[in-house]
Amino acid sequence: MSDALEPMVRIEKLWSVFKTAGVSTVIHQDLDLMVAPGEMLSIVGGSGGGKTVLLRQMLGLETPARGTVTVQGRPAAELGRAGASSRVGMLFQHGALFSAFTVLENIAFPLRELGTLPPALVRDVAMVKLQMVGLDAKHAHKMPADLSGGMIKRVALARALAMDPPLILLDEPTAGLDPDSADGFCALLKSLHQELGLTVVMVTHDLDTIFELSTRIAVVADKHVVVDASPDVVVAFDHPFVQDFFRGGRGHRAQVLLHSAANAG
Ligand SMILES: Nc1ncnc2c1ncn2[C@@H]1O[C@H](COP(=O)(O)OP(=O)(O)OP(=O)(O)O)[C@@H](O)[C@H]1O
C-alpha cells in the first residue's frame, strides 16, 4: 500500500489484557479502528471501558495481547524509542508537566532529549511553540505551579507539538477547565488542526467538545468499537450506551449544536 493510502492509525483485532494477581482481565477484544490522515476522531465510551488504554496502545505504551496497532504503517511499539515525539504527540489528562521545569524547559524537553540541536535553536523552537498555543512570551519562565488550568493544557499541547508530529493524541483535553477556558482550548485545537493539517485522536466525555471538533466519533463499548461514523450517524445509532450518552438530558445542547453546525455548513 502506498503512503497516500496508509491510515495514520490502523488497529486490527486488538486484544488488551491485564493480569493482576494471576487473574486476567480482557479490556479490548477484537477491536478494530482506523484513523485517516487529517481526521479529528473522538473516542467515547463508559468509564473504565478502555479508552485511555486504547490511546496508550497507539502510543506504544501498552503491548497488544493479540492483534496489531500501527502508526503510519509501523508498529506502535516502535514509538517507545527515542525520537518518537516526531511521530506522535500526547496530551495527558492533567497536562503532566515537569513541576521543577519552567514553561519553556517543559516545551523544549523533547527537543533537548534528541541531543542533536544547539541550545539556542531549542530555545527558539520552544518559544515559537509557546506562541503557537496562544501564550505570550512573558510566561516562558514561569513554573507550572504558577499557571492556570487552561495555561497548563496549552503548555502541555506546545510540548506535544514540539517535534511537529503529524498525529496528536488528547486524553480529556477540556476536563477540569471552566467553560470559557474549555471553549478557548477547543478553538485553539480547531485552528491548529486546520493550519497544521494534524490528525487528532481524542478521548473525551464533553459533548460540547465532541460536537465542536469531531469529524468522526468512535464508541467503545462491550470491549470493542460498536460504531465508528460521522456525528449524526453515531447519535442515531441504536445502542444503550449511545442512547444514554448522546440522547439523555445532557445531550440536548449537543443536539442543538449538531443541528446548527449542519445548517451552517
Ligand atoms: N496497567 C494496568 N493494569 C491493570 N489494569 C489496568 C491498567 N491500566 C488500565 N487498567 C484497567 O483497564 C480498564 C480500562 O481503563 P481505562 O483507563 O482505559 O478506562 P477509560 O475508558 O479511559 O475510563 P475513564 O473514562 O473512567 O477514564 C480499567 O478497568 C482499568 O482499571
Side-chain angles (χ1 to χ4, degrees), residues 5-41:
L5 297 175
E6 184 64 54
M8 183 63 74
V9 180
R10 177 194 291 271
I11 300 176
E12 287 179 311
K13 302 280 172 230
L14 172 68
W15 285 63
S16 301
V17 181
F18 291 114
K19 206 168 203 174
T20 316
V23 178
S24 292
T25 308
V26 176
I27 307 297
H28 301 130
Q29 185 172 353
D30 280 335
L31 183 148
D32 294 321
L33 183 65
M34 304 278 173
V35 187
E39 278 198 293
M40 207 150 183
L41 174 77

Side-chain angles (χ1 to χ4, degrees), residues 18 20 27 45-54 62 93 172 203 205:
F18 291 114
T20 316
I27 307 297
S47 185
K51 302 178 298 296
T52 299
V53 171
L54 195 53
E62 302 289 349
Q93 189 166 350
E172 297 285 1
V203 165
H205 289 98

Side-chain angles (χ1 to χ4, degrees), residues 27-170:
I27 307 297
H28 301 130
Q29 185 172 353
D30 280 335
L31 183 148
D32 294 321
L33 183 65
M34 304 278 173
V35 187
E39 278 198 293
M40 207 150 183
L41 174 77
S42 288
I43 299 174
V44 303
S47 185
K51 302 178 298 296
T52 299
V53 171
L54 195 53
L55 286 188
R56 289 175 58 81
Q57 288 280 12
M58 293 181 211
L59 256 184
L61 296 178
E62 302 289 349
T63 309
R66 284 190 232 163
T68 54
V69 181
T70 61
V71 174
Q72 289 187 303
R74 287 158 57 192
E78 287 181 8
L79 293 167
R81 297 177 195 158
S85 11
S86 64
R87 291 176 56 209
V88 51
M90 173 81 192
L91 176 63
F92 291 95
Q93 189 166 350
H94 301 291
L97 297 182
F98 300 111
S99 58
F101 287 2
T102 66
V103 162
L104 204 65
E105 286 166 346
N106 264 285
I107 299 171
F109 186 80
L111 300 158
R112 267 215 187 98
E113 262 205 322
L114 272 185
T116 53
L117 300 176
L121 181 59
V122 167
R123 212 171 34 247
D124 288 352
V125 172
M127 202 57 109
V128 168
K129 303 297 174 190
L130 180 70
Q131 286 162 14
M132 198 184 262
V133 296
L135 290 177
D136 193 275
K138 72 180 181 204
H139 300 301
H141 303 292
K142 288 187 175 164
M143 303 306 288
D146 299 324
L147 305 178
S148 68
M151 288 164 82
I152 288 174
K153 296 268 186 184
R154 284 172 189 255
V155 174
L157 182 62
R159 185 177 61 187
L161 293 169
M163 303 267 291
D164 297 321
L167 172 65
I168 293 280
L169 307 180
L170 312 169

